[in-house]
Amino acid sequence: MSGNMNLTIKVWRQKNAQTRGGFETVKLSNISPDMSFLEMLDVMNEQLMKEGKEAFAFDHDCREGICGMCSLVINGLPHGPDSLVTTCQLHMRKFKDGDTIVVEPWRSAAFPVLRDCAVDRGAFDRIIQAGGFVSINTGNAPHASTLPVPKVDSDRAFDAAACIGCGACVAACKNASAMLFVSAKVSHLAYLPQGKPEKQKRVLAMVEQMDKEGFGNCTNLFECEAACPKGISVEFIAKMNREYMCATALYSEKVYTTDG
C-alpha cells in the first residue's frame, strides 16, 4: 500500500464510570500506513491539543505487545481487525483511505471506565492475588534434573503463561466472562511441579474471586480465543474446570471426613 490516508475517527469520550459517555468525531489527514494504531492516536491527540481540546485517554505502556495495556475495541473487534496482535502491533495499513474507524473501551461492569478508553483492570490483579503463593525451597538453586517436567506439560505451561492479561477475552465475550484469563493463570501453574502443592486452594480461590468481581459465565462460544492476541486456547478452560471439580470434591471429602 502506498500513499498516506485521510481518516474519520470516532472515539469514545467519557469522564468516568459514573458519567454518560458518547462518541466524538475527529478528522485526520496525511496518516502514514506505516504508523502503528497507537502512533495514529498520538497524532490525533496532538491535533486535539492544538485545537484547545482535551486529549483522548487510552492505556499504553511497552508498545511491544508484551504488557497487555493497549485495550481498545476497534470497529467492534478487541485489538482491531488483525489477528494475534495487540493494538500497539496493529498498523494503519490494515485500513483504507477514507475509512471511518470507531474506537471504544473494553465494555464490562468488572472493568469500570477511568476516562475515555482507559479502564480499571484491577479485577484481574485481585484474581491473581487470590491465587496466593507458590511454595519453594530456599537455599541454593536446585539442579534442573531435580524437578523433571515432561515436555508436553512444560509446553502447555508455557502456552498458558503467554497470557498477558489484556482483557480482550472479556471484551469479546457477550457475557464479559474472564474464564480464558483465569484458566490460563490456573493452568500455567497446575502443569508444573512448583505449582502443585497449592493447586486445589488456588483454583477455588481464583474462581471465587472471579465471581466476586462480577464477570459473566462462559457459554462456550469461543470469541475469547478468537480475540486473544496470544492465541490462548479454550482447552485451558476445560483444564480449569477439571481442576475446580477435583478441588471441590477433595475439600468436600475432607469436610465430610472431619464432620463424620
Side-chain angles (χ1 to χ4, degrees), residues 191-237:
Y191 277 113
L192 299 175
Q194 294 91 338
K196 292 192 185 300
E198 294 85 29
K199 72 173 187 175
Q200 288 88 10
K201 290 182 180 179
R202 182 182 303 112
V203 68
L204 292 174
M206 293 180 76
V207 170
E208 181 183 2
Q209 187 64 38
M210 175 182 69
D211 292 340
K212 282 182 182 177
E213 296 293 344
F215 292 104
N217 294 321
C218 175
T219 46
N220 298 314
L221 295 179
F222 303 164
E223 287 100 332
C224 53
E225 181 180 308
C228 178
K230 299 302 177 181
I232 304 297
S233 172
V234 292
E235 291 178 6
F236 291 120
I237 296 177

Side-chain angles (χ1 to χ4, degrees), residues 25-140:
T25 300
V26 181
K27 300 282 188 179
L28 295 180
S29 58
N30 203 33
I31 297 297
S32 169
D34 296 324
M35 284 183 180
S36 73
F37 197 86
L38 296 190
E39 287 172 331
M40 179 275 294
L41 293 180
D42 291 337
V43 170
M44 184 186 77
N45 273 341
E46 289 178 5
Q47 177 175 312
L48 288 173
M49 288 186 287
K50 285 178 181 178
E51 294 171 356
K53 298 178 181 177
E54 191 172 12
F56 166 69
F58 60 96
D59 281 324
H60 61 95
D61 192 1
C62 74
R63 299 200 177 199
E64 294 178 348
I66 298 171
C67 70
M69 290 294 290
C70 52
S71 50
L72 295 174
V73 175
I74 302 164
N75 286 349
L77 298 171
H79 292 304
D82 208 352
S83 60
L84 299 177
V85 299
T86 53
T87 300
C88 62
Q89 295 172 307
L90 176 68
H91 285 83
M92 297 310 297
R93 64 179 69 95
K94 285 290 178 179
F95 303 93
K96 301 188 298 292
D97 182 37
D99 274 356
T100 296
I101 303 173
V102 181
V103 184
E104 303 173 73
W106 284 176
R107 296 198 182 275
S108 168
F111 290 160
V113 171
L114 296 173
R115 187 161 69 90
D116 299 338
C117 285
V119 301
D120 181 359
R121 281 170 291 185
F124 273 10
D125 296 329
R126 291 187 289 273
I127 291 171
I128 294 294
Q129 291 163 6
F133 60 91
V134 173
S135 292
I136 58 171
N137 295 320
T138 58
N140 293 333

